[in-house]
Amino acid sequence: MNLEMQQFKAEFFKALAHPLRIRILELLAEGDKNVNEIQTLVGSEGSAVSQQLTVLRAKNIVTGTKEGNKVIYTLKDPMIIELLAVARQIFNNHLVDTITILDKFKEEEDDVLTQSKN
């Protein structure tokens, strides 16, 4: 069971491992959209958006429902919204750590410059 779960997680994260797919998921977190809406919002070619939606559908991350001549895409699991929020927080934490390190380097550099002037 543990190996199956690890395999699922690896495949799941592999499906998320593309900036356009992440952007599509962020847009769908705001509400259901069709391909044309997604294409307009991301400013990408329709074929690129369709290709990424195909990957997300194949991994059961999004679903598509035909309405008239359009397919409306929806997040399969609303937990995706939380996952994206957690990823954003992890990114912010890394930024804070990086800024802290850079501030320390600057302080050390300022100290060295001050000492060399004396």
Side-chain angles (χ1 to χ4, degrees):
M1 166 90 163
N2 196 20
L3 182 58
E4 290 172 5
M5 179 57 70
Q6 291 168 347
Q7 185 65 34
F8 169 80
K9 289 177 181 178
E11 292 298 319
F12 178 79
F13 284 113
K14 193 185 305 181
L16 299 181
H18 191 285
L20 183 53
R21 289 196 288 265
I22 296 295
R23 181 67 183 128
I24 291 169
L25 294 175
E26 290 171 340
L27 291 171
L28 293 177
E30 298 169 1
D32 301 350
K33 294 179 179 41
N34 65 47
V35 176
N36 291 335
E37 292 171 314
I38 295 169
Q39 178 183 345
T40 299
L41 291 167
V42 299
S44 183
E45 296 176 14
S47 61
V49 169
S50 293
Q51 182 181 28
Q52 301 312 325
L53 283 167
T54 298
V55 172
L56 293 170
R57 283 181 78 169
K59 296 298 181 180
N60 286 319
I61 296 171
V62 301
T63 59
T65 307
K66 189 142 176 91
E67 289 185 11
N69 62 349
K70 296 181 180 180
V71 177
I72 306 299
Y73 288 92
T74 307
L75 294 177
K76 174 91 172 170
D77 189 329
M79 293 289 291
I80 296 289
I81 297 167
E82 292 180 45
L83 178 65
L84 294 171
V86 168
R88 182 176 288 118
Q89 186 58 51
I90 291 169
F91 175 77
N92 289 340
N93 292 345
H94 283 284
L95 282 180
V96 168
D97 290 345
T98 302
I99 289 168
T100 301
I101 291 168
L102 290 173
D103 286 345
K104 286 180 184 177
F105 283 145
K106 179 150 178 37
E107 287 174 16
E108 290 172 5
E109 188 176 84
D110 290 345
D111 289 345
V112 168
L113 289 174
T114 301
Q115 290 174 3
S116 68
K117 289 182 181 178
N118 293 332

